[in-house]
Amino acid sequence: MNEIGAADGTTTSPVPPRTREDGVEAIFKAHHGELVRLAVVLGADDAEDIVAEAFYQLYRRWSQLRRTESAIGYLRAAVVNLTRMRIRHIQVVRRHIQRSGPALETAQSGEALAVLRHDQRAIVEIVRELPARQREALVLRYWLDLSEREIAKTMDVTVGSVKVHISRGLAALTRKYEERR
Amino acid sequence: MSSPTGGPPGPLTDESLRSAFSALADGVHVRDDQSYARVSAGWKDRYRRRRLTVAVLATIVFAAVDVVGLWALNSAESIPQVIFSDTGPPNGADSGSLIGSP
């Protein structure tokens, strides 16, 4: 992220930015779009607000980061947690006012869904109906291509739990997809 | 995945799952007004307000503790606390035998 090339063109080890402002700005410019897309794929209805909140938490806790390179992992975990809490909140609100249906149809996610093929849309809708942990594990595995260890760190669970969530998520997804065919 | 002839979709595979997620992500367009300066203004404002709130609360607590302490000291009874008294020798003691007497 902050790799500075030496005069002979070889890359040196990353140099931490001098200030919080420089560091957060560099990370924002490099990863903001990717994090918004992550929030949408996870099912968030207000992805940009969630990512802004994640960056706020990073800004507050900048001095506690051991290494600048761990900032993106921190942001990913924050987006995953905030999205889960947001979806749960919406589901509670909707249950309270006795509405039904998926909690995730908003202008932003609606636009993103509109460009999908029929089968892709079915897959996304089924994934959004899965329990939060299974959904997160599948997205981190099949969209971000993270390893099980990285997923475990992002979700703050054990590697064994990640395997269980992925396995159960795939089983549920396959079953529901076959029912729809 | 749908067949080229538009028939029913095939069975679910890892690749179709990846493809669905990628297609969904590719359809996301970040708003143009999401520049760093604009977005960061919001959280920097919150950060400053939070620090100011903590500072004000800390000042109030410190001042309250000082006031309570001063009040407690002020309301204590004014009884002279006698530790040593040189008004006279204890009963039965010879003035010449007092320790420290000239």
Side-chain angles (χ1 to χ4, degrees):
Chain A
M1 173 172 58
N2 287 302
E3 293 174 354
I4 297 175
D8 58 357
T10 60
T11 53
T12 61
S13 56
V15 176
R18 287 190 299 274
T19 64
R20 181 205 315 255
E21 301 295 334
D22 291 343
V24 174
E25 182 172 3
I27 295 167
F28 183 94
K29 286 178 176 172
H31 296 285
H32 177 255
E34 169 200 328
L35 291 167
V36 170
R37 282 186 279 276
L38 173 61
V40 171
V41 176
L42 283 169
D45 62 335
D46 51 354
E48 282 159 354
D49 287 345
I50 285 173
V51 172
E53 176 66 26
F55 271 98
Y56 167 65
Q57 292 183 9
L58 175 68
Y59 188 83
R60 269 185 56 204
R61 297 187 171 95
W62 181 259
S63 57
Q64 298 170 21
L65 276 181
R66 280 188 226 123
R67 297 177 305 132
T68 310
E69 291 79 17
S70 54
I72 184 58
Y74 178 86
L75 282 169
R76 230 179 256 145
V79 167
V80 167
N81 290 335
L82 289 168
T83 302
R84 185 188 329 121
M85 289 188 324
R86 177 73 182 145
I87 291 172
R88 195 174 294 159
H89 171 76
I90 290 173
Q91 288 170 344
V92 167
V93 167
R94 291 201 175 193
R95 211 177 300 138
H96 181 69
I97 60 178
Q98 295 181 347
R99 283 192 193 169
S100 61
L104 312 164
E105 288 291 337
T106 63
Q108 187 171 48
S109 60
E111 282 173 14
L113 283 173
V115 299
L116 299 181
R117 291 197 311 260
H118 175 71
D119 58 316
Q120 292 174 332
R121 189 182 175 112
I123 291 172
V124 169
E125 286 174 351
I126 295 170
V127 166
R128 289 183 171 181
E129 291 168 7
L130 293 175
R133 291 300 198 177
Q134 291 176 15
R135 181 172 59 242
E136 290 163 14
L138 289 178
V139 169
L140 295 173
R141 175 72 183 86
Y142 289 99
W143 185 60
L144 281 182
D145 284 326
L146 297 184
S147 67
E148 286 172 349
R149 186 179 298 273
E150 288 169 323
I151 296 172
K153 197 172 173 190
T154 302
M155 292 174 62
D156 196 23
V157 297
T158 61
V159 171
S161 294
V162 169
K163 293 178 182 176
V164 168
H165 291 315
I166 290 176
S167 165
R168 289 182 180 169
L170 280 176
L173 176 60
T174 303
R175 187 179 65 248
K176 292 184 180 181
Y177 186 75
E178 291 300 319
E179 286 170 7
R180 285 197 185 200
R181 283 180 62 199
Chain B
M1 254 179 236
S2 298
S3 66
T5 56
L12 182 69
T13 61
D14 286 1
E15 194 47 47
S16 56
L17 186 53
R18 281 197 173 89
S19 162
F21 286 150
S22 292
L24 179 63
D26 289 344
V28 174
H29 298 289
V30 179
R31 292 201 311 256
D32 290 337
D33 60 355
Q34 294 292 303
S35 66
Y36 176 72
R38 191 178 183 283
V39 176
S40 65
W43 77 62
K44 284 177 186 174
D45 221 20
R46 281 175 67 186
Y47 182 72
R48 275 192 289 268
R49 271 188 274 123
R50 185 176 183 273
R51 290 189 73 172
L52 181 63
T53 303
V54 168
V56 166
L57 281 174
T59 303
I60 290 173
V61 168
F62 184 74
V65 166
D66 283 345
V67 165
V68 168
L70 287 171
W71 173 82
L73 287 172
N74 192 49
S75 61
E77 291 181 18
S78 302
I79 300 172
Q81 302 297 316
V82 177
I83 301 176
F84 297 107
S85 172
D86 55 358
T87 53
N91 290 337
D94 185 1
S95 61
S97 67
L98 287 175
I99 297 174
S101 59

